[in-house]
Amino acid sequence: MLPDVPAIGDFVPGYEATNWEGIGAPANTPPEIIAILNKEVNAALVDPAFKARLVELGGEPFPGSPSEFGKFIVEYTEKWAKVIRAAGIKPE
């Protein structure tokens, strides 16, 4: 997004920083409601105008299924839990 600014990874090997947003629902939400929400969110994420705006803001649309999103959350949590344990980070 800033072509004249070098990436931090050019100076700090292995550097990674990401953020993401997702939509969740309360436990025990009926599966048919989850299916409707998933369908509509995915439709928005592939809408050309909405997708273009996300990309313009530096985002990357990630449409998928509820199970794929759940798997992503588990993997992401496990990844950063390892970093936290390795660094000895404790809650204050």
Side-chain angles (χ1 to χ4, degrees):
M1 292 195 64
L2 300 170
D4 298 329
V5 178
I8 195 167
D10 293 344
F11 302 98
V12 182
Y15 178 84
E16 178 183 341
T18 59
N19 76 338
W20 54 269
E21 291 80 30
I23 297 175
N28 302 318
T29 299
E32 56 274 8
I33 300 299
I34 298 294
I36 291 168
L37 290 169
N38 182 245
K39 178 184 171 198
E40 296 303 324
V41 168
N42 282 336
L45 291 174
V46 298
D47 174 77
F50 187 78
K51 184 176 178 179
R53 182 66 175 139
L54 281 178
V55 171
E56 179 184 322
L57 295 170
E60 182 179 337
F62 183 56
S65 70
S67 63
E68 290 169 332
F69 187 49
K71 182 180 175 189
F72 169 78
I73 292 171
V74 168
E75 291 171 355
Y76 192 86
T77 301
E78 289 173 355
K79 172 183 175 178
W80 289 106
K82 288 178 187 175
V83 172
I84 290 167
R85 284 191 295 272
I89 298 171
K90 304 288 181 204
E92 294 182 8

